[in-house]
Amino acid sequence: MELSLPLNYAGDPREACDHVAALESAGLDAVWVAEAYGFDSPTLMGYLAARTERMKIGAAILNVYS
């Protein structure tokens, strides 16, 4: 069984990445990143990929029209 959770997109992206890195060391397997109201999820997903080692990163909602 793998454990995952959605990433809260409100707030500072650096704090969110620090939180995800800490959760990875605690055993979390995957995080889902949604895009809403001008929040750029592909950029944050790339930053998460650079800050984590084995974390699976998924796009929960990705608006292709904006």
Side-chain angles (χ1 to χ4, degrees):
M1 176 171 65
E2 292 187 356
L3 299 174
S4 69
L5 65 83
L7 182 67
N8 184 2
Y9 55 83
D12 183 20
R14 289 183 183 160
E15 289 178 16
C17 287
D18 291 341
H19 184 68
V20 169
L23 289 172
E24 178 186 37
S25 65
L28 188 70
D29 297 301
V31 66
W32 296 94
V33 183
E35 181 173 281
Y37 306 112
F39 177 79
D40 179 28
S41 65
T43 301
L44 183 57
M45 288 170 29
Y47 187 51
L48 283 169
R51 294 280 317 271
T52 59
E53 305 245 345
R54 60 166 187 80
M55 179 74 66
K56 295 178 184 176
I57 303 164
I61 299 171
L62 190 56
N63 184 358
V64 297
Y65 299 110
S66 61

